[in-house]
Amino acid sequence: MEEIKKAILDFAETSKKTKFYFKDIEKAVKKVIPDAKPREIKKAATALINAEKLIYFSTGSSTMYGLKGRGQTEDH
Amino acid sequence: MAFEPREEQTKLIYDELRIYSDEELNNYTEEELKNFKCKHDIPDLDEMEKGPWPSYVADAKREALHRRNLAEDRMLIHRDVVEDLLGQVQLSFDEGETHWKHGGIVGVFGYGGGVIGRYSDVPDKFPSIAHFHTIRVNQPASKFYDSDYLRTICDLWEFRGSGLMNMHGSTGDMVMLGTFTEQLEPIFFELTHKLQQDIGGSGSNLRTPSCCVGKARCEFACIDTQDMCYEFTHYYQDELHRPAFPYKYKFKFDGCPNCCVASIARSDMSFIGTWRDPIRIDQEAVQAYIGGEIEPAGGSHRGRDWGKFDIQKEVIDRCPTHCMHMEDGKLMINMADCTRCMHCINVMPRALRPGTDTGVSILFGAKAPILEGAQMGILTIPFMRCESPYDNIKEVVEKIWEWWPEEGKNRERLGELIQRQGVRKLLEVLDIPPMPQMVREPRSNPYIFWKEEDVPGGWDRDINDYRSRHKR
């Protein structure tokens, strides 16, 4: 779990875009940890949301993730 | 079996939870309403109040006047929120473009759905709607409420929001329209801790499951849609609140093929109650319909002279598969040809009833037009047993949820993935055989191809042996 969290944060810090889909997270994690299961990745992402390191960004119809403090992360 | 809630339920008593007094709730006269002038000039909206149909503008004006007459400290967001809303809508009509900015970071802690951020892009003109977020409240199965609950939630929304609601949005949820970011967490706390109420789904989540009135009030219900909706809502909480899908995913539950929540047209996974034994026929009641002793369609066409009920014209000839006929004065149905269109049952409900060997049909891939146009669901599983705790059905759900999130592109609905990869792939995922009924036009959509392992001997052949039997 900690390894997956680290992979997610590494991706969130360095990705070209500041907001990304869950599939982008999955792809990035699998590059580092090929046998990571989607459910484990989701659990790790949820834990990072609860730890206030990641944030959700929703248009109402689809949802993206972002790193808190990177790009637009406050209410506008 | 009697309904058993999963959590201990507390009876909500409005008098203990209310925020406003009766005087505050009834704080304007009809005369005042007639003379009400919105603070913005809204000629096009005024026009919408004319004519025979009810208008949201009339309701909004009532709410605006109500807020105008409330004391300043009795609302936690701006008094003028409704008037500013009307003003901005008028501006959009004038300029032919929207002034809403959609989406953002807003939400409640730990939840990825249920709150839809909305902001005005002209907040200087309309400061009261600088934020105008929507909250979706997960409706109870079949939308049964009591008035204590409704009054309490209306008070809460008046106090912390705009007071404007949709009962209900097309998602099925109760939709609370318009509040500021700082009110979201307190509203969520009140909803969950006092009203025992969760918020609904939005974004790339499982959306709020929705069902018809089902066995609570409908004699046609073949499955307990309320129980199923309640069970699936609880069982898949994580998918409802923590988005990890490529896009939205909807479950809808219809008790019979009348499809009162239109699951066939609106849900990625549509559950429709059905039966597989014969339609139950009461021949005496059939004669009573023919003789005019019982009104057809429950009397829904009364009040106009349509002439004498004609079973041939109004029932038998209207059967889409021509599976009915009269024989020696008796109505006969060839069940093998019946597609459960429900027409005959709807016209003569006292004579015809669904069978008793009931279950569910499962359809996949319906959606509204964003990409590729609107699609109806594909009937993939014609019949499945449907009994609590629905483990057999959850297995099907999870097979789809292994495939679609893996193969689906970002913002691709299940129906679009089926279109892209083919029904054959869907059948492989579900591990079910194709049926002839799935092929609508055999010469134009022959999507079922043999695979090597399905063919005795595979693809390998001895060309000389073949040529010994087939000349070039």
Side-chain angles (χ1 to χ4, degrees), chain A residues 21-24 39 42 46 50 52 55-63 65 72-73 75-76, chain B residues 103-105 109 111-112 119 131 181 203-204 207 238-239 242-244 247 405-406 408 410-411:
Chain A
Y21 290 103
F22 183 75
K23 280 185 87 75
D24 304 329
R39 189 145 287 277
K42 182 178 174 182
T46 303
N50 292 338
E52 299 190 61
I55 47 152
Y56 290 123
F57 180 94
S58 173
T59 63
S61 69
S62 54
T63 312
Y65 290 71
Q72 180 214 318
T73 64
D75 200 6
H76 54 187
Chain B
I105 311 295
F109 184 68
Y111 273 42
Y119 303 87
H131 299 188
T181 304
S204 305
R207 299 304 184 82
D238 196 55
E239 278 67 30
R242 282 166 273 282
Y247 204 19
E406 179 73 26
N410 288 325
R411 296 176 63 83

mmCIF file of all heavy atoms in Angstrom, chain A residues 21-24 39 42 46 50 52 55-63 65 72-73 75-76, chain B residues 103-105 109 111-112 119 131 181 203-204 207 238-239 242-244 247 405-406 408 410-411:
data_model
loop_
_atom_site.group_PDB
_atom_site.id
_atom_site.type_symbol
_atom_site.label_atom_id
_atom_site.label_comp_id
_atom_site.label_asym_id
_atom_site.label_seq_id
_atom_site.Cartn_x
_atom_site.Cartn_y
_atom_site.Cartn_z
ATOM 1 N N TYR A 21 -7.092 11.624 -14.721
ATOM 2 C CA TYR A 21 -8.115 10.607 -14.475
ATOM 3 C C TYR A 21 -7.537 9.453 -13.651
ATOM 4 O O TYR A 21 -6.317 9.259 -13.605
ATOM 5 C CB TYR A 21 -8.638 10.051 -15.802
ATOM 6 C CG TYR A 21 -9.471 11.028 -16.583
ATOM 7 C CD1 TYR A 21 -8.954 11.696 -17.684
ATOM 8 C CD2 TYR A 21 -10.794 11.284 -16.217
ATOM 9 C CE1 TYR A 21 -9.726 12.579 -18.413
ATOM 10 C CE2 TYR A 21 -11.571 12.179 -16.936
ATOM 11 C CZ TYR A 21 -11.036 12.829 -18.029
ATOM 12 O OH TYR A 21 -11.799 13.699 -18.753
ATOM 13 N N PHE A 22 -8.445 8.668 -13.071
ATOM 14 C CA PHE A 22 -8.004 7.510 -12.301
ATOM 15 C C PHE A 22 -7.204 6.547 -13.183
ATOM 16 O O PHE A 22 -6.226 5.957 -12.741
ATOM 17 C CB PHE A 22 -9.216 6.788 -11.683
ATOM 18 C CG PHE A 22 -8.823 5.623 -10.829
ATOM 19 C CD1 PHE A 22 -8.292 5.824 -9.564
ATOM 20 C CD2 PHE A 22 -8.942 4.316 -11.296
ATOM 21 C CE1 PHE A 22 -7.902 4.751 -8.777
ATOM 22 C CE2 PHE A 22 -8.550 3.245 -10.518
ATOM 23 C CZ PHE A 22 -8.030 3.463 -9.254
ATOM 24 N N LYS A 23 -7.601 6.428 -14.439
ATOM 25 C CA LYS A 23 -6.884 5.511 -15.348
ATOM 26 C C LYS A 23 -5.429 5.945 -15.535
ATOM 27 O O LYS A 23 -4.552 5.121 -15.701
ATOM 28 C CB LYS A 23 -7.573 5.478 -16.712
ATOM 29 C CG LYS A 23 -8.779 4.603 -16.751
ATOM 30 C CD LYS A 23 -9.353 4.501 -18.136
ATOM 31 C CE LYS A 23 -8.707 3.395 -18.927
ATOM 32 N NZ LYS A 23 -9.131 2.060 -18.540
ATOM 33 N N ASP A 24 -5.209 7.284 -15.527
ATOM 34 C CA ASP A 24 -3.828 7.771 -15.650
ATOM 35 C C ASP A 24 -3.013 7.355 -14.424
ATOM 36 O O ASP A 24 -1.845 6.981 -14.535
ATOM 37 C CB ASP A 24 -3.816 9.308 -15.789
ATOM 38 C CG ASP A 24 -4.679 9.780 -16.957
ATOM 39 O OD1 ASP A 24 -4.775 9.029 -17.941
ATOM 40 O OD2 ASP A 24 -5.271 10.872 -16.871
ATOM 41 N N ARG A 39 -8.043 -2.385 -7.490
ATOM 42 C CA ARG A 39 -8.680 -2.130 -6.188
ATOM 43 C C ARG A 39 -7.675 -1.589 -5.171
ATOM 44 O O ARG A 39 -7.976 -0.708 -4.374
ATOM 45 C CB ARG A 39 -9.355 -3.403 -5.684
ATOM 46 C CG ARG A 39 -10.205 -3.187 -4.468
ATOM 47 C CD ARG A 39 -11.435 -4.045 -4.441
ATOM 48 N NE ARG A 39 -12.446 -3.594 -5.397
ATOM 49 C CZ ARG A 39 -13.330 -2.615 -5.169
ATOM 50 N NH1 ARG A 39 -13.318 -1.957 -4.037
ATOM 51 N NH2 ARG A 39 -14.218 -2.279 -6.073
ATOM 52 N N LYS A 42 -7.049 1.981 -6.022
ATOM 53 C CA LYS A 42 -8.161 2.827 -5.583
ATOM 54 C C LYS A 42 -8.078 3.068 -4.074
ATOM 55 O O LYS A 42 -8.281 4.183 -3.597
ATOM 56 C CB LYS A 42 -9.492 2.157 -5.944
ATOM 57 C CG LYS A 42 -10.676 3.017 -5.556
ATOM 58 C CD LYS A 42 -11.995 2.419 -5.945
ATOM 59 C CE LYS A 42 -13.119 3.276 -5.391
ATOM 60 N NZ LYS A 42 -14.439 2.775 -5.664
ATOM 61 N N THR A 46 -7.723 6.635 -2.303
ATOM 62 C CA THR A 46 -8.701 7.087 -1.300
ATOM 63 C C THR A 46 -7.984 7.489 -0.008
ATOM 64 O O THR A 46 -8.312 8.509 0.614
ATOM 65 C CB THR A 46 -9.732 5.965 -1.018
ATOM 66 O OG1 THR A 46 -10.340 5.619 -2.252
ATOM 67 C CG2 THR A 46 -10.803 6.416 -0.040
ATOM 68 N N ASN A 50 -8.069 11.047 1.843
ATOM 69 C CA ASN A 50 -8.400 11.223 3.266
ATOM 70 C C ASN A 50 -7.276 11.895 4.038
ATOM 71 O O ASN A 50 -7.523 12.585 5.024
ATOM 72 C CB ASN A 50 -8.769 9.877 3.906
ATOM 73 C CG ASN A 50 -10.085 9.350 3.353
ATOM 74 O OD1 ASN A 50 -10.901 10.109 2.833
ATOM 75 N ND2 ASN A 50 -10.295 8.056 3.435
ATOM 76 N N GLU A 52 -5.611 14.192 2.792
ATOM 77 C CA GLU A 52 -5.599 15.540 2.195
ATOM 78 C C GLU A 52 -4.339 15.814 1.378
ATOM 79 O O GLU A 52 -3.868 16.938 1.302
ATOM 80 C CB GLU A 52 -5.826 16.608 3.256
ATOM 81 C CG GLU A 52 -7.180 16.442 3.937
ATOM 82 C CD GLU A 52 -7.556 17.607 4.827
ATOM 83 O OE1 GLU A 52 -7.672 18.720 4.302
ATOM 84 O OE2 GLU A 52 -7.722 17.379 6.032
ATOM 85 N N ILE A 55 -6.647 15.593 -4.113
ATOM 86 C CA ILE A 55 -7.991 16.177 -4.092
ATOM 87 C C ILE A 55 -8.784 15.639 -5.278
ATOM 88 O O ILE A 55 -8.205 15.204 -6.269
ATOM 89 C CB ILE A 55 -7.945 17.724 -4.216
ATOM 90 C CG1 ILE A 55 -7.002 18.125 -5.367
ATOM 91 C CG2 ILE A 55 -7.553 18.393 -2.933
ATOM 92 C CD1 ILE A 55 -7.349 19.410 -5.985
ATOM 93 N N TYR A 56 -10.095 15.649 -5.137
ATOM 94 C CA TYR A 56 -10.962 15.344 -6.271
ATOM 95 C C TYR A 56 -11.254 16.644 -7.013
ATOM 96 O O TYR A 56 -11.415 17.699 -6.388
ATOM 97 C CB TYR A 56 -12.299 14.783 -5.804
ATOM 98 C CG TYR A 56 -12.276 13.408 -5.214
ATOM 99 C CD1 TYR A 56 -12.752 13.185 -3.917
ATOM 100 C CD2 TYR A 56 -11.830 12.314 -5.947
ATOM 101 C CE1 TYR A 56 -12.778 11.912 -3.366
ATOM 102 C CE2 TYR A 56 -11.849 11.037 -5.392
ATOM 103 C CZ TYR A 56 -12.329 10.845 -4.107
ATOM 104 O OH TYR A 56 -12.358 9.588 -3.572
ATOM 105 N N PHE A 57 -11.377 16.534 -8.306
ATOM 106 C CA PHE A 57 -11.817 17.678 -9.122
ATOM 107 C C PHE A 57 -12.956 17.145 -9.987
ATOM 108 O O PHE A 57 -12.760 16.227 -10.787
ATOM 109 C CB PHE A 57 -10.664 18.166 -10.000
ATOM 110 C CG PHE A 57 -11.023 19.342 -10.864
ATOM 111 C CD1 PHE A 57 -10.777 20.639 -10.439
ATOM 112 C CD2 PHE A 57 -11.623 19.150 -12.098
ATOM 113 C CE1 PHE A 57 -11.124 21.715 -11.225
ATOM 114 C CE2 PHE A 57 -11.981 20.238 -12.897
ATOM 115 C CZ PHE A 57 -11.726 21.520 -12.457
ATOM 116 N N SER A 58 -14.146 17.667 -9.788
ATOM 117 C CA SER A 58 -15.294 17.115 -10.514
ATOM 118 C C SER A 58 -15.966 18.173 -11.364
ATOM 119 O O SER A 58 -16.151 19.309 -10.938
ATOM 120 C CB SER A 58 -16.301 16.552 -9.517
ATOM 121 O OG SER A 58 -17.469 16.161 -10.201
ATOM 122 N N THR A 59 -16.326 17.761 -12.585
ATOM 123 C CA THR A 59 -17.109 18.672 -13.427
ATOM 124 C C THR A 59 -18.595 18.430 -13.198
ATOM 125 O O THR A 59 -19.424 19.104 -13.769
ATOM 126 C CB THR A 59 -16.832 18.390 -14.915
ATOM 127 O OG1 THR A 59 -17.271 17.047 -15.193
ATOM 128 C CG2 THR A 59 -15.387 18.525 -15.255
ATOM 129 N N GLY A 60 -18.908 17.428 -12.414
ATOM 130 C CA GLY A 60 -20.293 17.015 -12.251
ATOM 131 C C GLY A 60 -20.553 15.747 -13.038
ATOM 132 O O GLY A 60 -21.218 14.847 -12.570
ATOM 133 N N SER A 61 -19.970 15.660 -14.252
ATOM 134 C CA SER A 61 -20.192 14.438 -15.026
ATOM 135 C C SER A 61 -19.003 13.490 -14.923
ATOM 136 O O SER A 61 -19.163 12.289 -14.920
ATOM 137 C CB SER A 61 -20.513 14.751 -16.484
ATOM 138 O OG SER A 61 -19.381 15.269 -17.134
ATOM 139 N N SER A 62 -17.791 14.028 -14.853
ATOM 140 C CA SER A 62 -16.656 13.125 -14.643
ATOM 141 C C SER A 62 -15.739 13.701 -13.570
ATOM 142 O O SER A 62 -15.794 14.888 -13.279
ATOM 143 C CB SER A 62 -15.901 12.859 -15.943
ATOM 144 O OG SER A 62 -15.526 14.059 -16.526
ATOM 145 N N THR A 63 -14.923 12.812 -13.011
ATOM 146 C CA THR A 63 -14.113 13.206 -11.862
ATOM 147 C C THR A 63 -12.645 12.993 -12.160
ATOM 148 O O THR A 63 -12.275 11.985 -12.769
ATOM 149 C CB THR A 63 -14.495 12.353 -10.636
ATOM 150 O OG1 THR A 63 -15.911 12.342 -10.535
ATOM 151 C CG2 THR A 63 -13.901 12.910 -9.360
ATOM 152 N N TYR A 65 -8.475 13.599 -10.455
ATOM 153 C CA TYR A 65 -7.697 13.732 -9.222
ATOM 154 C C TYR A 65 -6.631 14.802 -9.442
ATOM 155 O O TYR A 65 -6.239 15.080 -10.581
ATOM 156 C CB TYR A 65 -7.002 12.413 -8.883
ATOM 157 C CG TYR A 65 -7.909 11.287 -8.432
ATOM 158 C CD1 TYR A 65 -8.765 10.649 -9.338
ATOM 159 C CD2 TYR A 65 -7.902 10.847 -7.120
ATOM 160 C CE1 TYR A 65 -9.592 9.613 -8.932
ATOM 161 C CE2 TYR A 65 -8.723 9.805 -6.704
ATOM 162 C CZ TYR A 65 -9.562 9.189 -7.608
ATOM 163 O OH TYR A 65 -10.361 8.162 -7.200
ATOM 164 N N GLN A 72 -4.743 24.453 -9.858
ATOM 165 C CA GLN A 72 -5.869 25.049 -9.156
ATOM 166 C C GLN A 72 -6.410 24.051 -8.127
ATOM 167 O O GLN A 72 -6.949 23.010 -8.478
ATOM 168 C CB GLN A 72 -6.971 25.374 -10.154
ATOM 169 C CG GLN A 72 -8.176 26.007 -9.497
ATOM 170 C CD GLN A 72 -9.462 25.605 -10.182
ATOM 171 O OE1 GLN A 72 -9.507 25.561 -11.400
ATOM 172 N NE2 GLN A 72 -10.476 25.307 -9.401
ATOM 173 N N THR A 73 -6.213 24.345 -6.848
ATOM 174 C CA THR A 73 -6.703 23.399 -5.836
ATOM 175 C C THR A 73 -7.567 24.079 -4.794
ATOM 176 O O THR A 73 -8.000 23.460 -3.848
ATOM 177 C CB THR A 73 -5.555 22.676 -5.103
ATOM 178 O OG1 THR A 73 -4.805 23.644 -4.392
ATOM 179 C CG2 THR A 73 -4.657 21.934 -6.040
ATOM 180 N N ASP A 75 -10.979 26.620 -3.983
ATOM 181 C CA ASP A 75 -12.254 27.042 -4.533
ATOM 182 C C ASP A 75 -12.042 28.311 -5.359
ATOM 183 O O ASP A 75 -11.263 29.170 -4.989
ATOM 184 C CB ASP A 75 -13.132 27.370 -3.319
ATOM 185 C CG ASP A 75 -14.575 27.355 -3.691
ATOM 186 O OD1 ASP A 75 -14.869 26.992 -4.822
ATOM 187 O OD2 ASP A 75 -15.370 27.707 -2.822
ATOM 188 N N HIS A 76 -12.704 28.413 -6.520
ATOM 189 C CA HIS A 76 -12.547 29.649 -7.295
ATOM 190 C C HIS A 76 -13.873 30.397 -7.374
ATOM 191 O O HIS A 76 -14.907 29.874 -7.055
ATOM 192 C CB HIS A 76 -12.004 29.370 -8.690
ATOM 193 C CG HIS A 76 -12.791 28.361 -9.466
ATOM 194 N ND1 HIS A 76 -12.404 27.877 -10.675
ATOM 195 C CD2 HIS A 76 -13.941 27.707 -9.176
ATOM 196 C CE1 HIS A 76 -13.289 26.985 -11.099
ATOM 197 N NE2 HIS A 76 -14.223 26.880 -10.223
ATOM 198 N N GLY B 103 -18.192 22.973 -12.366
ATOM 199 C CA GLY B 103 -17.186 22.067 -11.827
ATOM 200 C C GLY B 103 -16.156 22.760 -10.961
ATOM 201 O O GLY B 103 -16.126 23.983 -10.865
ATOM 202 N N GLY B 104 -15.331 21.953 -10.322
ATOM 203 C CA GLY B 104 -14.293 22.499 -9.457
ATOM 204 C C GLY B 104 -13.932 21.534 -8.356
ATOM 205 O O GLY B 104 -14.184 20.334 -8.459
ATOM 206 N N ILE B 105 -13.348 22.104 -7.314
ATOM 207 C CA ILE B 105 -12.800 21.290 -6.234
ATOM 208 C C ILE B 105 -13.857 20.968 -5.190
ATOM 209 O O ILE B 105 -13.675 20.113 -4.363
ATOM 210 C CB ILE B 105 -11.652 22.055 -5.528
ATOM 211 C CG1 ILE B 105 -10.663 22.622 -6.536
ATOM 212 C CG2 ILE B 105 -10.919 21.225 -4.515
ATOM 213 C CD1 ILE B 105 -9.919 21.615 -7.318
ATOM 214 N N PHE B 109 -15.781 16.215 2.620
ATOM 215 C CA PHE B 109 -14.559 15.504 2.917
ATOM 216 C C PHE B 109 -14.710 13.991 2.651
ATOM 217 O O PHE B 109 -15.623 13.350 3.162
ATOM 218 C CB PHE B 109 -14.156 15.748 4.368
ATOM 219 C CG PHE B 109 -12.843 15.107 4.695
ATOM 220 C CD1 PHE B 109 -11.677 15.579 4.139
ATOM 221 C CD2 PHE B 109 -12.785 13.997 5.528
ATOM 222 C CE1 PHE B 109 -10.461 14.968 4.411
ATOM 223 C CE2 PHE B 109 -11.583 13.386 5.801
ATOM 224 C CZ PHE B 109 -10.420 13.879 5.243
ATOM 225 N N TYR B 111 -15.590 12.427 0.025
ATOM 226 C CA TYR B 111 -16.540 12.042 -1.009
ATOM 227 C C TYR B 111 -16.103 12.612 -2.366
ATOM 228 O O TYR B 111 -15.744 13.777 -2.456
ATOM 229 C CB TYR B 111 -17.931 12.597 -0.697
ATOM 230 C CG TYR B 111 -18.792 11.724 0.193
ATOM 231 C CD1 TYR B 111 -18.268 11.087 1.306
ATOM 232 C CD2 TYR B 111 -20.146 11.549 -0.076
ATOM 233 C CE1 TYR B 111 -19.061 10.300 2.124
ATOM 234 C CE2 TYR B 111 -20.951 10.767 0.736
ATOM 235 C CZ TYR B 111 -20.402 10.140 1.837
ATOM 236 O OH TYR B 111 -21.194 9.371 2.632
ATOM 237 N N GLY B 112 -16.202 11.774 -3.392
ATOM 238 C CA GLY B 112 -15.869 12.258 -4.726
ATOM 239 C C GLY B 112 -17.091 12.589 -5.550
ATOM 240 O O GLY B 112 -16.987 12.900 -6.719
ATOM 241 N N TYR B 119 -20.445 28.061 -10.415
ATOM 242 C CA TYR B 119 -20.096 29.448 -10.086
ATOM 243 C C TYR B 119 -20.627 30.369 -11.172
ATOM 244 O O TYR B 119 -20.668 29.992 -12.350
ATOM 245 C CB TYR B 119 -18.581 29.620 -10.032
ATOM 246 C CG TYR B 119 -17.901 28.698 -9.047
ATOM 247 C CD1 TYR B 119 -17.506 27.422 -9.422
ATOM 248 C CD2 TYR B 119 -17.659 29.119 -7.740
ATOM 249 C CE1 TYR B 119 -16.899 26.565 -8.525
ATOM 250 C CE2 TYR B 119 -17.036 28.271 -6.830
ATOM 251 C CZ TYR B 119 -16.664 26.995 -7.234
ATOM 252 O OH TYR B 119 -16.054 26.166 -6.338
ATOM 253 N N HIS B 131 -21.308 31.651 -5.812
ATOM 254 C CA HIS B 131 -21.296 30.185 -5.730
ATOM 255 C C HIS B 131 -22.747 29.738 -5.856
ATOM 256 O O HIS B 131 -23.641 30.370 -5.274
ATOM 257 C CB HIS B 131 -20.811 29.688 -4.367
ATOM 258 C CG HIS B 131 -19.417 30.089 -4.022
ATOM 259 N ND1 HIS B 131 -18.773 29.602 -2.909
ATOM 260 C CD2 HIS B 131 -18.545 30.931 -4.630
ATOM 261 C CE1 HIS B 131 -17.550 30.118 -2.846
ATOM 262 N NE2 HIS B 131 -17.393 30.937 -3.875
ATOM 263 N N THR B 181 -19.775 27.452 -0.829
ATOM 264 C CA THR B 181 -18.844 26.387 -0.436
ATOM 265 C C THR B 181 -18.818 26.173 1.074
ATOM 266 O O THR B 181 -18.828 25.036 1.542
ATOM 267 C CB THR B 181 -17.424 26.731 -0.947
ATOM 268 O OG1 THR B 181 -17.507 26.917 -2.345
ATOM 269 C CG2 THR B 181 -16.438 25.636 -0.635
ATOM 270 N N GLY B 203 -20.268 12.577 -11.045
ATOM 271 C CA GLY B 203 -18.909 12.319 -11.530
ATOM 272 C C GLY B 203 -18.721 10.878 -11.977
ATOM 273 O O GLY B 203 -19.684 10.168 -12.283
ATOM 274 N N SER B 204 -17.455 10.441 -11.989
ATOM 275 C CA SER B 204 -17.131 9.105 -12.512
ATOM 276 C C SER B 204 -17.388 8.029 -11.465
ATOM 277 O O SER B 204 -16.493 7.282 -11.082
ATOM 278 C CB SER B 204 -15.669 9.075 -12.939
ATOM 279 O OG SER B 204 -15.413 10.107 -13.847
ATOM 280 N N ARG B 207 -23.736 5.988 -10.009
ATOM 281 C CA ARG B 207 -24.713 7.032 -9.671
ATOM 282 C C ARG B 207 -25.781 6.456 -8.744
ATOM 283 O O ARG B 207 -25.926 5.238 -8.634
ATOM 284 C CB ARG B 207 -25.332 7.587 -10.945
ATOM 285 C CG ARG B 207 -24.315 8.227 -11.886
ATOM 286 C CD ARG B 207 -23.538 9.325 -11.168
ATOM 287 N NE ARG B 207 -22.629 10.008 -12.079
ATOM 288 C CZ ARG B 207 -22.977 10.986 -12.906
ATOM 289 N NH1 ARG B 207 -24.223 11.400 -12.978
ATOM 290 N NH2 ARG B 207 -22.076 11.565 -13.682
ATOM 291 N N ASP B 238 -18.818 2.166 -1.778
ATOM 292 C CA ASP B 238 -17.493 2.652 -2.151
ATOM 293 C C ASP B 238 -17.510 3.175 -3.599
ATOM 294 O O ASP B 238 -16.918 4.208 -3.902
ATOM 295 C CB ASP B 238 -16.478 1.509 -2.004
ATOM 296 C CG ASP B 238 -15.057 2.028 -2.004
ATOM 297 O OD1 ASP B 238 -14.753 2.898 -1.178
ATOM 298 O OD2 ASP B 238 -14.255 1.579 -2.853
ATOM 299 N N GLU B 239 -18.222 2.459 -4.461
ATOM 300 C CA GLU B 239 -18.291 2.883 -5.873
ATOM 301 C C GLU B 239 -19.156 4.141 -6.025
ATOM 302 O O GLU B 239 -18.983 4.903 -6.960
ATOM 303 C CB GLU B 239 -18.864 1.756 -6.739
ATOM 304 C CG GLU B 239 -17.840 0.706 -7.135
ATOM 305 C CD GLU B 239 -17.325 -0.113 -5.971
ATOM 306 O OE1 GLU B 239 -18.086 -0.319 -4.985
ATOM 307 O OE2 GLU B 239 -16.165 -0.543 -6.006
ATOM 308 N N ARG B 242 -16.566 7.051 -4.088
ATOM 309 C CA ARG B 242 -15.144 7.229 -4.389
ATOM 310 C C ARG B 242 -14.896 6.859 -5.846
ATOM 311 O O ARG B 242 -14.851 5.700 -6.209
ATOM 312 C CB ARG B 242 -14.300 6.397 -3.421
ATOM 313 C CG ARG B 242 -14.212 7.099 -2.070
ATOM 314 C CD ARG B 242 -13.707 6.242 -0.983
ATOM 315 N NE ARG B 242 -14.767 5.485 -0.355
ATOM 316 C CZ ARG B 242 -15.627 5.968 0.534
ATOM 317 N NH1 ARG B 242 -15.552 7.219 0.918
ATOM 318 N NH2 ARG B 242 -16.570 5.213 1.055
ATOM 319 N N PRO B 243 -14.801 7.865 -6.685
ATOM 320 C CA PRO B 243 -14.793 7.636 -8.127
ATOM 321 C C PRO B 243 -13.515 6.986 -8.644
ATOM 322 O O PRO B 243 -12.432 7.477 -8.390
ATOM 323 C CB PRO B 243 -14.921 9.053 -8.703
ATOM 324 C CG PRO B 243 -14.469 9.955 -7.618
ATOM 325 C CD PRO B 243 -14.737 9.280 -6.319
ATOM 326 N N ALA B 244 -13.684 5.862 -9.332
ATOM 327 C CA ALA B 244 -12.529 5.228 -9.978
ATOM 328 C C ALA B 244 -12.946 4.590 -11.296
ATOM 329 O O ALA B 244 -12.246 3.741 -11.827
ATOM 330 C CB ALA B 244 -11.918 4.183 -9.045
ATOM 331 N N TYR B 247 -16.118 6.672 -16.291
ATOM 332 C CA TYR B 247 -17.183 7.656 -16.444
ATOM 333 C C TYR B 247 -18.344 7.220 -15.552
ATOM 334 O O TYR B 247 -18.205 6.299 -14.756
ATOM 335 C CB TYR B 247 -17.590 7.725 -17.928
ATOM 336 C CG TYR B 247 -18.237 9.024 -18.377
ATOM 337 C CD1 TYR B 247 -18.108 10.190 -17.636
ATOM 338 C CD2 TYR B 247 -18.978 9.078 -19.541
ATOM 339 C CE1 TYR B 247 -18.699 11.367 -18.069
ATOM 340 C CE2 TYR B 247 -19.573 10.252 -19.990
ATOM 341 C CZ TYR B 247 -19.430 11.394 -19.236
ATOM 342 O OH TYR B 247 -20.018 12.554 -19.662
ATOM 343 N N PRO B 405 -13.759 -0.795 -16.541
ATOM 344 C CA PRO B 405 -12.715 0.136 -16.080
ATOM 345 C C PRO B 405 -11.346 -0.159 -16.696
ATOM 346 O O PRO B 405 -10.531 0.728 -16.863
ATOM 347 C CB PRO B 405 -12.690 -0.089 -14.560
ATOM 348 C CG PRO B 405 -14.024 -0.664 -14.243
ATOM 349 C CD PRO B 405 -14.382 -1.502 -15.427
ATOM 350 N N GLU B 406 -11.120 -1.431 -17.041
ATOM 351 C CA GLU B 406 -9.830 -1.807 -17.618
ATOM 352 C C GLU B 406 -9.737 -1.372 -19.093
ATOM 353 O O GLU B 406 -8.762 -0.783 -19.525
ATOM 354 C CB GLU B 406 -9.704 -3.343 -17.489
ATOM 355 C CG GLU B 406 -8.443 -3.954 -18.048
ATOM 356 C CD GLU B 406 -7.214 -3.666 -17.200
ATOM 357 O OE1 GLU B 406 -7.364 -3.435 -15.993
ATOM 358 O OE2 GLU B 406 -6.106 -3.650 -17.784
ATOM 359 N N GLY B 408 -12.256 0.413 -20.929
ATOM 360 C CA GLY B 408 -12.946 1.642 -21.318
ATOM 361 C C GLY B 408 -11.984 2.825 -21.328
ATOM 362 O O GLY B 408 -11.094 2.914 -20.489
ATOM 363 N N ASN B 410 -11.155 6.961 -21.009
ATOM 364 C CA ASN B 410 -11.692 8.010 -20.145
ATOM 365 C C ASN B 410 -12.942 8.599 -20.787
ATOM 366 O O ASN B 410 -12.953 8.883 -21.983
ATOM 367 C CB ASN B 410 -10.658 9.119 -19.928
ATOM 368 C CG ASN B 410 -9.545 8.655 -19.022
ATOM 369 O OD1 ASN B 410 -9.764 7.880 -18.088
ATOM 370 N ND2 ASN B 410 -8.325 9.117 -19.296
ATOM 371 N N ARG B 411 -13.974 8.766 -20.023
ATOM 372 C CA ARG B 411 -15.265 9.320 -20.457
ATOM 373 C C ARG B 411 -15.975 8.437 -21.482
ATOM 374 O O ARG B 411 -16.741 8.921 -22.299
ATOM 375 C CB ARG B 411 -15.113 10.754 -20.985
ATOM 376 C CG ARG B 411 -14.651 11.725 -19.905
ATOM 377 C CD ARG B 411 -14.415 13.098 -20.455
ATOM 378 N NE ARG B 411 -15.640 13.688 -20.983
ATOM 379 C CZ ARG B 411 -16.561 14.305 -20.255
ATOM 380 N NH1 ARG B 411 -16.411 14.404 -18.956
ATOM 381 N NH2 ARG B 411 -17.622 14.821 -20.831
#
